[in-house]
Amino acid sequence: MFIESPRYTERLGSVRLNHVQSVIALDSGLKNQLPPHSAMGVVKIDEETIKHYEDRMAIVIPVKDEKLKLFEGVVSGVPQDCLVIVVSNSQREKVDRFRMEGDALDQLCRFTLRQALIVHQKDPAIARAAMDADYNDLLDEDGLVRDGKSEAMIIGLLMAKAAGKEYVGFVDADNYFPGAVLEYVRNYAAGFSLAQSRYSMVRILWQYKPKISGILYLRKWGRISEVTNKYLNSLISTKTGFETEVVRTSNAGEHAMSMQLAEILPFASGYAGEPQELVSMFENFGGILPTKDIKVMEQGIDIFQIETRNPHLHEEKGNEHLNEMLLSSLSTIYHSPLCDEELKQAILAELIGQGILKKGEEPPPVYINAPLKKGKVLQLVEAIQSDFDKYHVLH
Ligand code: GDP
Ligand code: CO
């Protein structure tokens, strides 16, 4: 594929946050030679490079009661060399949706002879392993893994580590276009190939997010991400003294990271996960608050934001869902030690203006799962490995 070369990089301590890079063309051919890219501002990522990273990557698909057809489409869009890991929190009573997902996955994998893992978020074996490894953050009062997409991401990360993968990408199960899924993963690979550090992250920005209201309208921005981006950029500006618009992917559900980075990141519960990743990187490695992790400081962290060619169309889950998402997203900024009083007031005004909070209320702090490194990760991974057959679709 052809992609814009990273044109400008904001540096915050050891975090290198690259401005958005657009995909120029989805394919770059086998023979096509490119003029020196410094001249054109375009990088060619050849097919071999993309395959190199896909082979080292697991794609985690969190799913909760999505339409089966959508789920199947998503799986069919994941490149063959990636390991598919499905983490489901779908219902099991009456209609066993988890079973249906497993059957669909099994069938697709048989046709294409591919490997895949599927696990239910409430599988007691996972909860027991977490407890044994002192990683209780993940658990609810009833002793099972908590609800939430972030919690599913953590299970996915652990399974990817157990399978020996070096990179993990996330793709939502409610995507309508399998072709878009294919592009997300190729973009992940492209981003990783540009990274200098072993700690790297790729976040997807959509060229268009269509809205159907009588006619098909190709909207440029999601409502939530627009607002979250604004305040995350303000957070950076208040620290550097320079206004910036660098952050464009604060709520990117579609994103990927190297295993090394994943292990040191905290994951906020529910829908606050994606913005919290950025806030945490600024806090821990942004050079403002003290850091303990010298290795990371030395290597730095590379973050890429890649704008897709495909539009993004997923299930619309209603206004209440969006409000909840905005509240928890802004809460990650509001409760950060980096957030000064002025920015806090601006966030409160925004939430009150949107009718999400009342005067005098504060956004409730989000629940944060400690980084995996804090628990006995290896023990957890070993426990999962010992049960590995159970999770494989093809025995
Ligand atoms: P949005 O796209 O950010 O508005 O959020 P969605 O509601 O579409 O959720 C993103 C993805 O996470 C979808 O594939 C959901 O099915 C999935 N998901 C949401 N909540 C959970 C959960 O508690 N557990 C799991 N395993 N997946 C979830
Ligand atoms: Co969605």
Side-chain angles (χ1 to χ4, degrees):
M1 62 192 272
F2 289 107
I3 182 174
E4 281 179 334
S5 49
R7 256 180 310 193
Y8 191 72
T9 310
E10 300 265 357
R11 288 157 207 275
L12 298 130
S14 24
V15 181
R16 294 184 289 270
L17 181 51
N18 291 284
H19 278 245
V20 168
Q21 296 163 253
S22 306
V23 172
I24 307 285
L26 292 173
D27 181 59
S28 54
L30 270 184
K31 288 175 289 190
N32 202 347
Q33 285 301 320
L34 188 72
H37 66 68
S38 52
M40 285 181 59
V42 173
V43 196
K44 174 180 171 170
I45 316 281
D46 52 41
E47 214 49 38
E48 211 177 302
T49 306
I50 292 175
K51 293 298 165 208
H52 170 92
Y53 285 95
E54 285 174 355
D55 191 41
R56 288 161 179 73
M57 201 185 313
I59 294 299
V60 173
I61 306 174
V63 54
K64 187 175 182 197
D65 299 324
E66 300 292 352
K67 293 178 182 137
L68 206 56
K69 286 274 183 248
L70 290 185
F71 169 72
E72 283 178 349
V74 168
V75 175
S76 75
V78 178
Q80 177 79 4
D81 294 339
C82 299
L83 173 67
V84 169
I85 301 176
V86 177
V87 185
S88 171
N89 198 11
S90 300
Q91 74 169 56
R92 308 204 65 175
E93 287 99 43
K94 286 191 219 142
V95 186
D96 189 345
R97 297 196 62 89
F98 175 62
R99 175 80 189 265
M100 287 156 70
E101 289 155 4
D103 288 347
L105 186 66
D106 182 272
Q107 191 171 51
L108 280 168
C109 289
R110 267 175 214 288
F111 286 149
T112 55
L113 288 177
R114 83 179 306 166
Q115 288 293 329
L117 303 168
I118 181 166
V119 57
H120 199 277
Q121 196 158 340
K122 303 290 177 181
D123 186 331
I126 300 280
R128 217 175 307 120
M131 210 177 324
D132 290 344
D134 291 336
Y135 193 63
N136 293 314
D137 281 18
L138 211 53
L139 307 178
D140 228 335
E141 307 85 62
D142 58 7
L144 294 175
V145 173
R146 300 154 50 88
D147 286 322
K149 187 191 156 184
S150 284
E151 286 71 8
M153 286 168 57
I154 293 173
I155 297 175
L157 280 170
L158 290 167
M159 307 218 49
K161 193 171 167 66
K165 294 292 167 183
E166 295 164 41
Y167 298 93
V168 184
F170 301 97
V171 176
D172 287 352
D174 63 341
N175 277 301
Y176 270 89
F177 303 137
V181 173
L182 179 73
E183 188 191 2
Y184 299 151
V185 179
R186 292 170 65 82
N187 294 351
Y188 296 160
F192 290 131
S193 79
L194 297 174
Q196 307 160 27
S197 167
R198 280 182 282 136
Y199 303 92
S200 54
M201 177 179 276
V202 186
R203 303 171 75 93
I204 297 293
L205 173 69
W206 311 300
Q207 169 112 302
Y208 297 107
K209 203 169 170 188
K211 190 160 175 58
I212 298 159
S213 48
I215 53 156
L216 176 66
Y217 176 64
L218 293 176
R219 186 170 53 167
K220 190 92 184 153
W221 296 105
R223 176 165 81 81
I224 303 304
S225 48
E226 204 174 346
V227 180
T228 315
N229 289 343
K230 179 174 148 193
Y231 290 98
L232 255 174
N233 282 317
S234 299
L235 185 72
I236 297 176
S237 305
T238 57
K239 297 300 151 197
T240 60
F242 290 89
E243 243 177 46
T244 179
E245 293 193 327
V246 62
V247 178
R248 304 264 301 275
T249 56
S250 46
N251 290 97
E254 269 72 23
H255 67 302
M257 52 196 114
S258 65
M259 189 57 86
Q260 263 131 327
L261 178 58
E263 284 177 4
I264 58 169
L265 276 186
F267 290 97
S269 199
Y271 293 100
E274 290 84 1
Q276 180 68 49
E277 289 166 8
L278 290 173
V279 171
S280 294
M281 284 188 276
F282 300 155
E283 287 174 5
N284 297 338
F285 308 106
I288 294 152
L289 302 172
T291 179
K292 285 178 221 110
D293 213 324
I294 303 298
K295 252 204 295 197
V296 184
M297 288 303 271
E298 279 171 5
Q299 285 248 341
I301 299 177
D302 290 310
I303 307 174
F304 298 92
Q305 306 181 92
I306 299 184
E307 186 180 65
T308 60
R309 277 280 149 191
N310 279 282
H312 181 73
L313 188 65
H314 70 149
E315 283 280 278
E316 286 296 340
K317 285 169 182 144
N319 242 336
E320 204 177 306
H321 168 73
L322 292 180
N323 283 349
E324 193 193 320
M325 201 161 185
L326 184 59
L327 178 63
S328 57
S329 295
L330 294 187
S331 178
T332 64
I333 305 169
Y334 185 90
H335 290 288
S336 168
L338 294 177
C339 187
D340 64 19
E341 199 45 45
E342 200 180 323
L343 186 54
K344 280 192 176 189
Q345 290 309 321
I347 290 174
L348 286 180
E350 175 78 49
L351 288 167
I352 292 167
Q354 298 245 8
I356 298 173
L357 283 186
K358 292 198 195 72
K359 261 210 166 87
E361 287 180 336
E362 270 193 305
V366 287
Y367 182 89
I368 295 185
N369 295 287
L372 284 169
K373 266 258 162 80
K374 290 258 165 72
K376 299 178 201 151
V377 204
L378 289 181
Q379 189 182 324
L380 236 175
V381 167
E382 272 165 28
I384 290 174
Q385 267 165 345
S386 67
D387 254 353
F388 230 32
D389 273 353
K390 185 175 98 182
Y391 307 120
H392 270 279
V393 278
L394 303 180
H395 294 296

